[in-house]
Amino acid sequence: MTKEAAGSFVSGYEAYWRRTAGEIERAIKGSVIILDTNAIVNLYRMASGGREEYFAVLEKVSDRLWVPRQVVDEFHKVRLSAVASHITGLKAKSGAVSEAAEAFKVALKDFARLYSLANGRVSEYMEPLDTAISGILEHVHSDVEGFDLDPSDLASSDPILDRLAEMLDGKVGSGIAEGDLKAALAEAKLRGEQKIPPGYKDWEKKGEDGAGDYLIWQEMLEFAKSVHQDILFVSTDVKEDWFRRQAGFVIGPRPELVKEMQDEAGSSYHHVTLAEFLRTASEALGVFVSPNTINRAQELERDRNQFKLNLTRQVLAASESLQDAIEEREKYAQELALVSDRSRLLQGTVHRLGERLNEATLGELARASMSREADVLSRELRELNDRLDVLVVTVERCDNRIEAARADLNVQRGRLDEAEALF
């Protein structure tokens, strides 16, 4: 962000505007291009054709590529898991398509039968649909079966990793020095608590384990200081601590980040999604990138956000279920305590009445009255004891429900943590 010109209404506020296509093109042509973890990992989530187009773009700018050490650390931790997760997702979507197609066919067949009760025109409805659906399902299943990567193969022989190594060796940061790491984590904590971008969203969820985004940013700042060049960061992360949103639109990188990069390194800072990078690079660099590849990059970003949103909702639902179970147990536990106290009180009263009834000096009228009272209290005591038995079982069931809810919450949190690591 440039220093505000005296009296100017717009100068110095450029970071609040969406970058023009021309500005992004110039950044792609002249800036150092820094790749985030998922901008690299998405190579493993693309079909082979799209992967080759993406590599062609990277090779065109390979002399200006750079990757923070934190990104490389994260990449190697999630590489195989990302492929496995992607394959699982493909199979799940394929299954969902098959189920939806079958449900649609059943519904249309029922309608046709109802509509043409006597004239047997069901086949007129079903034949074109069966043909179309069969073609769709064949295409979907072919895409799933045709995905060319397998984690077990990549564990020992990974051609993508080989190409990345050839392209990026010598272009990787050294990371935060051991002596500076404590101070960097303290700064990440401060930013997380004060909601200073970037990284506070991950810090809110994971504490010190969520410092990765800030460490990447710190590496970028230090690198920019050393090379005195403008920076273009390519990332699939569109959280609010990286991007500024207004009126439902992504405007661009957070103005605070633009300003910090300018103040600390004297460099301009651009931040684009992978889809935008591929689309603009295709025009700016004269490298062919098909609309399918660009669309796939956009889908990966949407899938990432939707998957994490669904997992977050599941964590919330599991947490609410646990809280409901705890509250229900508390309610029955309180009733159990009250009934238990009442039962002990009645037991004492009935016992004392029994002792008095055995007294030889007790008159007949008093004995009859006490006997009736003892019978009433004994019936109440039996009812209380029956209720106690029910409450003890109910509280035990609540304990089991709490245990199951806690286990489910831990599973959902684990899945969300895994997704956070993968995405």
Side-chain angles (χ1 to χ4, degrees):
M1 185 185 297
T2 58
K3 186 176 181 180
E4 293 86 346
S8 173
F9 189 73
V10 295
S11 178
Y13 296 95
E14 292 82 1
Y16 288 88
W17 313 334
R18 176 174 285 175
R19 299 290 198 275
T20 66
E23 288 177 297
I24 300 300
E25 283 191 17
R26 288 191 290 274
I28 289 175
K29 290 178 178 179
S31 299
V32 174
I33 297 172
I34 299 179
L35 302 175
D36 194 11
T37 307
N38 270 290
I40 303 174
V41 171
N42 275 356
L43 283 162
Y44 292 84
R45 299 180 177 122
M46 290 179 167
S48 58
R51 194 181 309 134
E52 288 303 318
E53 292 174 4
Y54 186 6
F55 263 124
V57 171
L58 294 179
E59 288 165 358
K60 194 75 172 181
V61 298
S62 60
D63 60 326
R64 291 183 285 112
L65 286 176
W66 188 79
V67 183
R69 174 59 60 183
Q70 177 70 23
V71 165
V72 180
D73 289 345
E74 294 174 0
F75 165 80
H76 283 283
K77 290 176 182 177
V78 304
R79 174 177 62 97
L80 298 181
S81 298
V83 178
S85 176
H86 180 63
I87 292 172
T88 299
L90 285 176
K91 291 179 178 179
K93 288 184 177 180
S94 173
V97 170
S98 298
E99 290 176 6
E102 188 61 33
F104 181 48
K105 287 167 65 176
V106 170
L108 187 57
K109 188 179 294 185
D110 288 345
F111 170 78
R113 287 170 176 162
L114 179 65
Y115 184 79
S116 53
L117 292 174
N119 54 20
R121 292 172 52 210
V122 174
S123 61
E124 294 181 22
Y125 283 87
M126 299 307 301
E127 286 178 5
L129 179 65
D130 285 336
T131 301
I133 286 181
S134 295
I136 292 171
L137 292 178
E138 183 178 348
H139 184 69
V140 169
H141 295 155
S142 176
D143 283 348
V144 174
E145 297 300 323
F147 188 68
D148 62 329
L149 301 180
D150 184 270
S152 61
D153 296 333
L154 295 175
S156 56
S157 177
D158 186 345
I160 299 175
L161 182 60
D162 292 341
R163 292 179 71 174
L164 287 170
E166 182 179 353
M167 184 183 300
L168 296 173
D169 275 356
K171 301 167 187 174
V172 176
S174 55
I176 306 296
E178 189 68 29
D180 298 329
L181 185 57
K182 184 176 180 181
L185 291 175
E187 177 66 16
K189 180 176 185 292
L190 178 66
R191 287 183 177 233
E193 292 171 347
Q194 297 185 4
K195 296 188 181 299
I196 300 172
Y200 65 79
K201 294 299 291 182
D202 284 349
W203 187 274
E204 288 175 355
K205 298 176 185 175
K206 298 184 283 187
E208 188 170 310
D209 290 338
D213 278 5
Y214 172 71
L215 297 180
I216 289 172
W217 175 247
Q218 184 62 33
E219 280 194 72
M220 286 199 289
L221 283 176
E222 295 302 319
F223 176 75
K225 290 178 189 179
S226 67
V227 298
H228 307 291
Q229 290 181 262
D230 294 338
I231 300 298
L232 173 65
F233 187 38
V234 180
S235 171
T236 62
D237 196 338
V238 292
K239 296 196 297 291
E240 67 179 46
D241 55 348
W242 282 108
F243 278 98
R244 179 172 181 267
R245 294 175 179 271
Q246 190 170 22
F249 299 102
V250 174
I251 305 300
R254 287 284 293 258
E256 300 95 321
L257 302 181
V258 176
K259 184 177 188 303
E260 186 173 6
M261 182 66 75
Q262 181 65 46
D263 291 347
E264 292 290 322
S267 302
S268 295
Y269 174 68
H270 298 267
H271 187 165
V272 295
T273 64
L274 177 57
E276 185 178 5
F277 173 68
L278 293 175
R279 180 172 52 249
T280 310
S282 177
E283 301 171 0
L285 305 175
V287 180
F288 176 74
V289 181
S290 67
N292 283 343
T293 298
I294 295 169
N295 290 338
R296 181 61 187 141
Q298 290 176 320
E299 288 168 4
L300 286 171
E301 291 165 10
R302 286 195 295 266
D303 288 349
R304 166 189 183 272
N305 294 330
Q306 188 60 51
F307 184 58
K308 289 172 67 175
L309 178 60
N310 289 342
L311 288 178
T312 300
R313 286 172 175 165
Q314 289 172 23
V315 168
L316 180 60
S319 180
E320 290 175 348
S321 179
L322 174 59
Q323 187 60 38
D324 288 344
I326 291 173
E327 290 176 358
E328 184 176 6
R329 186 199 186 280
E330 181 64 24
K331 180 184 71 174
Y332 286 116
Q334 288 178 356
E335 184 182 355
L336 176 61
L338 291 173
V339 172
S340 181
D341 289 344
R342 176 63 177 166
S343 176
R344 284 194 297 271
L345 179 64
L346 283 180
Q347 284 176 348
T349 303
V350 170
H351 178 72
R352 287 191 296 273
L353 283 173
E355 289 180 338
R356 292 192 63 190
L357 284 170
N358 291 328
E359 293 176 1
T361 58
L362 188 64
E364 289 302 321
L365 290 177
R367 187 182 301 278
S369 176
M370 285 184 186
S371 180
R372 286 193 297 271
E373 182 181 359
D375 288 342
V376 170
L377 293 179
S378 295
R379 283 196 298 273
E380 183 181 353
L381 182 58
R382 287 193 295 273
E383 291 173 358
L384 285 174
N385 287 336
D386 289 342
R387 180 60 180 163
L388 273 176
D389 291 340
V390 171
L391 288 172
V392 168
V393 172
T394 302
V395 170
E396 288 177 353
R397 288 175 178 170
C398 287
D399 287 336
N400 292 336
R401 182 182 163 198
I402 289 171
E403 184 178 352
R406 281 206 176 100
D408 181 50
L409 179 58
N410 289 334
V411 168
Q412 301 305 333
R413 282 176 172 165
R415 293 180 65 202
L416 182 57
D417 289 344
E418 182 180 357
E420 293 286 357
L422 285 174
F423 297 113

